[in-house]
Amino acid sequence: MAGNAPDLDPLDEAAVNAVREAGLGDIAAADSLDALKAVRAALLGDQAPLVTANRTIGSLEPSKRGLAGKNLGQARKALTEALEARKEVLAAEHEAR
């Protein structure tokens, strides 16, 4: 699962994008609401790489904080939107059964 990237550097745009892309794959692969809930926890929970990386922004030089915040914010936004969209699809499929 994408949530297992240790010590993600918020300034490393390629690494942040890799976590985002892997997360989008995990979201697309979720085949139930319960599976999606687990994916959400792995991607956006307290121990998720994007979340732990976000906590390090304050320790960066002030001139680098904006870029770090932008990198992480864009990734979180993409994942949050994908999670919501997938939740709607899975909920509709569940209702149809």
Side-chain angles (χ1 to χ4, degrees):
M1 202 172 278
N4 296 329
D7 300 326
L8 180 64
D9 179 356
L11 293 170
D12 186 345
E13 189 173 349
V16 173
N17 286 339
V19 170
R20 183 191 72 223
E21 291 303 315
L24 292 173
D26 290 345
I27 292 166
D31 58 0
S32 70
L33 291 171
D34 286 338
L36 188 64
K37 184 176 180 181
V39 170
R40 177 184 292 275
L43 296 174
L44 300 175
D46 287 343
Q47 299 304 312
L50 292 174
V51 175
T52 58
N54 194 61
R55 292 184 195 125
T56 68
I57 291 176
S59 66
L60 297 174
E61 294 177 29
S63 63
K64 295 181 179 181
R65 291 178 189 165
L67 176 60
K70 179 182 170 190
N71 288 343
L72 296 173
Q74 288 175 342
R76 279 194 321 268
K77 182 176 188 255
L79 293 171
T80 300
E81 289 173 354
L83 283 162
E84 289 305 313
R86 186 69 178 142
K87 181 179 176 182
E88 289 177 16
V89 168
L90 291 171
E93 288 175 357
H94 182 73
E95 292 286 323
R97 290 185 211 163

